[in-house]
Amino acid sequence: MPANISRRSEQLRAQVEQNCDYVGEKFPEEARRIHYGETEKRNIYGEASPDEAKELIEEGVEVQAIPGLLKQTPDSYIPFSYIPVSAYR
């Protein structure tokens, strides 16, 4: 069973890396810019602190935590992915 989970995690990582722009620690800022229509809608992923993620959610910005997505993550940050819902309508 653990091998299956590992394989699926790798598949998810590959899919996100192929279909999303990596914005690193600028994730909260860029997610807001997309959410408020200040920049083009596109799929992004990067890092956010727990407090930054909470603020994004409170603002209505749709974010999804994806544990283990990034190979190296600063201790105080959590990898997050943001995919605008309107991109799929």
Side-chain angles (χ1 to χ4, degrees), residues 19-70:
N19 296 298
C20 302
D21 295 332
Y22 177 68
V23 295
E25 293 180 12
K26 293 183 180 183
F27 177 82
E29 174 187 339
E30 196 62 21
R32 280 187 182 95
R33 291 181 64 214
I34 292 169
H35 180 75
Y36 293 113
E38 297 171 4
T39 190
E40 67 185 82
K41 290 186 180 195
R42 67 190 198 286
N43 301 332
I44 63 171
Y45 73 105
E47 296 85 43
S49 71
D51 287 340
E52 290 168 328
K54 182 180 176 188
E55 289 172 7
L56 288 170
I57 292 166
E58 288 172 351
E59 290 178 42
V61 179
E62 295 182 32
V63 297
Q64 178 62 52
I66 304 179
L69 177 63
L70 302 175

